[in-house]
Amino acid sequence: MRFGKTLSDSVYPPWKDKYLEYDKIKKLLREDETSPQGRGGEANWTEQDEETFVHELTVTQLEKVNQHQVDTFSSIRDRAAACESELPDPEKEDTGKSEDEWKDVARDMLKELDGISKDLNELRKFSRVNYTGFLKAAKKHDRKRGLKYHVRPILQVRLAQTPFNSEDYAPLLYRLSAMYTWARQKLGEESANKETDTDIKPKDTYTAHKYWVHADNLLEVKTYLLRRLPVLVYNPQDVKVVDSSQKDPSLTSIYFDNHSFDLYQSKVEKTEAGLSVRLRWTGHLTDKPEIVLEKKFVGENEESNDIRIQIKEKYINSFLKGEYKMEKQIQKLEDRLGPDHDEVKNLKANVDEIQSFIKDKQLEPVLRASYTRTAFQIPGDDRIRVSLDTDLTFIREDALDPDRPCRDPDDWHRSDIDKNEMDYPYSAIKKGEISRFPHAILEIKVKDTKYTRNNAWLHDLMNSHLVKEEKRFSKFVHGVAELFEDYVNSFPFWLSDLETDIRRDPVTAYQEEQEREQKKAEDEMAVGSFLAGSKLSSPRHKVGSPGKYSERRLSGQISQSVQSRSRLRDSQLQSTAEEPDSDDDGVQGTEQVDVRDSSQGGIRSFLPAFSNSRYARRHRQRNAWDNAPLPPGVKEPSFWIKDQGDLKVEAKVWLANQRTFIKWQHVAILLATLSLSLYNAAGVNNNIARIISVVYTVFAIFAAVWGWGIYMWRSKLITERSGKDFDAVIGPFVVSIGLAVALVLNFAFKYRAAVADNREDNSTALFMGQGQMNNGLWVQEL
């Protein structure tokens, strides 16, 4: 179907005058003339014709479409705000309306929300079809007048300046969902306590964040990640063997679709559940790697369901034709587990489902995506999984043109690439059959936990100038849009960003982050405090701000994960839960391993150098990271970008430091007073008391000097905005142990002196008794 027909079929009647006038554009382009290589087509095209065409396309038509987008979305937001104003105020017990009146309000609200939802859906279709129309018109122009003029770069810049295609509808959708829920609950269609009545526990869910990374920022992003997460080493022979020379794996995926590109359309337009089929392997095909055939289903609730089977290369052709149904694998599994085992039944069901789906949709290989992956993850801890894909290349793998097929129609892959073991940049591939992506793809998968919702370094990276967010980016969609643009009539929105420089100024990036946070807060507060304590939204849709706590929460888990590294099994290579519409599976982590050390306790808990407590492990791990050698070619920065702004420290931080200093001086004064009193009361002959008083004086001086030194050291850390710990355990340890020893010695000396005095008194009494006895005997003798 030609795009002109597609555009006319997509027109929403109330907005028919607001769409791109595609026929007018084609008339200005004089599409009926001969091609520039013909007899006079290019000679009749003047500078004035070019200026008229460019102005009409990039100014008149684009501003008309963009203005309608802005006005309509603003009107929809106002209508949503008007509905929100009808919600009851939970702080007021007496709302002034009866229950029947509130039900009438709920019915009217549902009708208005239905209208808002319909207009919002039509607005999304309006944006997409017009966006595709602008790109199609630019392509027609460059193909016809490309010998002298190119309009697509100008159009890309103008699309970036008038971003009618990049509106984020998610905040408004959440608000509409909350109002829908209130109205249904008020009308009795939905129970307010529905969630509390079920015993089903939600499974672990991941939220995926996708970003583009410019080549100039690639090394900085890698080093930033290396300081927080270790590289997940991939070793195809044995995951227990860590090979430091092992290179990052090269992954290859071959995507399937039919001649109408139905799977592509379902992903771009989101008209139905997204489906995709692909073959995936690691390394060169000549190395006989494990090949995985995967079918992915993405439902309306954005949850994905994957079906995967491992298949050998020699069976792929017969499997795709339906001639082979994995009989050998199934038989081996039956012999090992029995024919009635659940694993055997699941394998049979998966084989039948994938084969029937390929047959019903008439799918065949159309696109190859090849890239090099670097994975970052703490072994045994899958709460944060980061992958960085570089050298991303898309290659046509189709046989759509029977006269010049890119692939042998009787084979499932291009033999010229795999037999010759071609690597990036695939210089032997023809220009029209390959597209090299200019940026790296950073994907961060975060499990919804308290730890990940309050993670400072993750929040800083995701909002920094080093990355550019592309929420809906898909390798399959991008490859088809780049290499099969003549076969499809809908394009993803991110194509316009490829012609622009994605690098940003750090100050500008920070200001944009603050604006986003403010807008997000306004959207969350728009419904009012009515929703403050309700359970209307699922926890998996909530994105917390990771900036509340410092990054020190992360390092406390590293040493524990390092201990579990040797216990990882082969299941580390199996994939875990993925985000919707993910096109990049690779080496994934296992479930979190719980490692406990029974040697904790006793004096070890007081000595960080020997303790296995979380506090001690955190200190040791931080020291290990600080002293770790940097990668080759990387220099330690002389300053941090985060430290270049104005110094803003809360008053309570300074006051806390001063309060600690005053406490130390208080301790010093008390010890000095005690020592002086003891010295004066001891007298000249009491040497023990005089010595103890001198010891107390030494500790008093140490406490005063230590308090002052720590106060100055912490003030320096605060001024430098250092991320180091402020803990200082040596001073309290020395003073406490020293005073305890002094008291014990004092008691021992006094006890020994008392025993000596007692013995002396007994000896004197005995001597006097014997003298009296001798005197009595002498008197008697006389």
Side-chain angles (χ1 to χ4, degrees), residues 189-258:
E189 299 176 5
E190 179 177 326
S191 174
N193 298 323
K194 184 177 180 179
E195 291 187 2
T196 61
D197 296 336
T198 179
D199 294 332
I200 300 177
K201 297 181 179 180
K203 64 180 181 180
D204 292 336
T205 58
Y206 285 88
T207 302
H209 307 272
K210 298 182 181 180
Y211 303 89
W212 291 355
V213 181
H214 194 275
D216 294 349
N217 298 329
L218 185 58
L219 186 58
E220 187 172 356
V221 171
K222 282 187 175 181
T223 54
Y224 184 92
L225 290 170
L226 283 173
R227 292 176 183 273
R228 281 90 182 170
L229 298 175
V231 175
L232 192 63
V233 179
Y234 171 74
N235 194 321
Q237 284 76 29
D238 187 357
V239 296
K240 296 181 180 179
V241 179
V242 179
D243 185 4
S244 59
S245 62
Q246 178 71 32
K247 296 181 179 180
D248 292 330
S250 176
L251 303 183
T252 302
S253 297
I254 293 183
Y255 296 95
F256 288 66
D257 212 332
N258 51 31

Side-chain angles (χ1 to χ4, degrees), residues 174-194:
Y174 293 154
R175 294 163 59 183
L176 294 178
S177 175
M179 288 185 285
Y180 265 119
T181 304
W182 177 86
R184 288 194 296 266
Q185 290 179 358
K186 184 60 66 175
L187 295 175
E189 299 176 5
E190 179 177 326
S191 174
N193 298 323
K194 184 177 180 179

Side-chain angles (χ1 to χ4, degrees), residues 722-739:
S722 174
K724 297 180 180 179
D725 287 337
F726 284 12
D727 302 308
V729 298
I730 297 178
F733 180 81
V734 170
V735 173
S736 300
I737 297 299
L739 290 178

